[in-house]
């Protein structure tokens, strides 16, 4: 499956409206992976650098691996003041990172796009002995009525919609196959996001499956989102119940 170009023309809105990850989660990663300022993290599918930035702010050395030119260049521009950041144009399955050189592999909001088997082999190649892989998503709380109605809008207007984050939350067997002996540590954090109207629409338009401006369903998509915002917003704001979910283990 060729996924490199999925986010082309979406780098700006992706960088602007996608949420970051809880500080509590970064603390956990440091503790569970025994990280310090000497450690090297490979952030695979690093996109516009949202997660890479949070790692860099904690003083880690970060290699951002991203195949999409627009997303990668935006990360390079916004993270250029960090001397510990290195950007590579490569895929998750062929990172070109030196073998046995990495203390932790992170994948934020991207694992569902990868060839899982090939990526696992690549992680085994680049990780130091006993080092781990952290897979993390900011996932919508599917029990929330706003999120349910948001999903219904996507089903009506987005032909490529297969569920948020590619429906990965509903397929736990993927993680059992990916991690060594099916063993991993699962962590969950509440990470609600507050949006004004522009932010709410922008967050939806940043999705891979969302129509672009020239697409037939674009106006209908935005109109239905406007109605949803009007229905649930208070004082010009809407709350999207968001859960950060992490899977950490050896491969």
């Amino acid at each position: 499956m060729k996924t490199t170009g999925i986010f082309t023309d979406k780098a700006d809105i992706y960088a602007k409206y996608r949420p970051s990850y809880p500080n509590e989660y970064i603390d956990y990663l440091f503790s569970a992976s025994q990280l310090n300022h000497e450690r090297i993290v490979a952030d695979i599918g690093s996109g516009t650098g949202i997660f890479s930035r949070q790692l860099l702010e904690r003083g880690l050395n970060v290699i951002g691996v991203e195949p999409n030119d627009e997303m990668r260049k935006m990360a390079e521009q916004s993270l250029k003041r960090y001397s510990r950041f290195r950007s590579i144009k490569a895929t998750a399955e062929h990172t070109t990172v030196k073998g046995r050189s990495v203390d932790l592999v992170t994948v934020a909001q991207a694992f569902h796009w990868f060839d899982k088997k090939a990526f696992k082999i690549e992680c085994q190649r680049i990780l130091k002995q006993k080092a781990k892989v952290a897979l993390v998503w900011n996932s919508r709380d599917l029990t929330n009525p706003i999120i349910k109605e948001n999903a219904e809008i996507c089903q009506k207007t987005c032909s490529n919609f297969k569920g948020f984050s590619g429906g990965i939350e509903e397929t736990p067997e993927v993680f059992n196959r990916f991690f060594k002996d099916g063993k991993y540590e699962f962590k969950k954090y509440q990470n609600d996001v507050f949006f004004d109207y522009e932010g709410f629409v922008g967050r939806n338009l940043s999705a891979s499956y969302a129509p672009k401006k020239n697409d037939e369903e674009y106006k209908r998509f935005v109109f239905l989102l406007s109605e949803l915002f009007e229905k649930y917003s208070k004082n010009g704001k809407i709350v999207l119940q968001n859960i950060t979910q992490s899977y950490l283990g050896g491969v």
Side-chain angles (χ1 to χ4, degrees), residues 15-153:
K16 192 172 181 180
Y17 298 118
R18 287 292 179 118
S20 58
Y21 300 82
N23 287 325
E24 188 185 357
Y25 172 61
I26 309 295
D27 292 341
Y28 158 72
L29 269 190
F30 263 74
S31 173
S33 305
Q34 300 179 319
L35 298 177
N36 60 44
H37 292 184
E38 303 302 314
R39 303 299 190 201
I40 298 171
V41 177
D43 189 23
I44 313 297
S46 48
T48 60
I50 293 170
F51 193 60
S52 292
R53 179 189 298 277
Q54 290 185 265
L55 299 175
L56 290 162
E57 285 172 348
R58 297 293 188 96
L60 292 168
N61 298 284
V62 179
I63 303 168
V65 178
E66 173 55 51
N68 183 280
D69 291 336
E70 285 184 20
M71 309 252 315
R72 190 184 63 261
K73 285 171 184 173
M74 180 158 286
E76 290 168 353
Q77 183 64 29
S78 67
L79 301 177
K80 63 184 178 183
R81 66 189 178 91
Y82 295 97
S83 61
R84 291 171 177 260
F85 180 64
R86 181 158 69 96
S87 178
I88 295 176
K89 177 179 180 174
T91 65
E93 300 81 7
H94 304 284
T95 65
T96 73
V97 173
K98 185 181 174 184
R100 299 288 183 200
S101 66
V102 172
D103 297 288
L104 177 69
V105 164
T106 60
V107 185
Q109 221 72 26
F111 179 71
H112 48 285
W113 299 120
F114 300 170
D115 178 321
K116 315 296 186 297
K117 189 175 180 182
F119 176 58
K120 179 173 181 172
I121 293 167
E122 182 68 350
C123 288
Q124 291 169 339
R125 185 185 72 80
I126 67 175
L127 282 168
K128 293 178 183 176
Q129 195 170 10
K130 295 185 179 178
K132 297 176 180 178
V133 178
L135 311 176
V136 62
W137 283 267
N138 276 320
S139 301
R140 294 170 177 87
D141 182 351
L142 300 174
T143 65
N144 179 265
I146 301 174
I147 307 297
K148 283 183 177 178
E149 291 180 42
N150 202 156
E152 287 167 9
I153 290 170

Side-chain angles (χ1 to χ4, degrees), residues 178-211:
F178 179 74
F179 289 104
K180 188 177 181 181
D181 300 325
K183 294 178 181 177
Y184 56 87
E185 189 169 46
F186 176 70
K187 291 285 183 179
K188 199 172 180 179
Y189 304 86
Q190 197 68 30
N191 189 23
D192 292 348
V193 189
F194 296 79
F195 286 119
D196 60 11
Y197 171 73
E198 181 187 340
F200 176 66
V201 174
R203 169 63 186 89
N204 275 277
L205 288 172
S206 76
S208 60
Y209 49 76

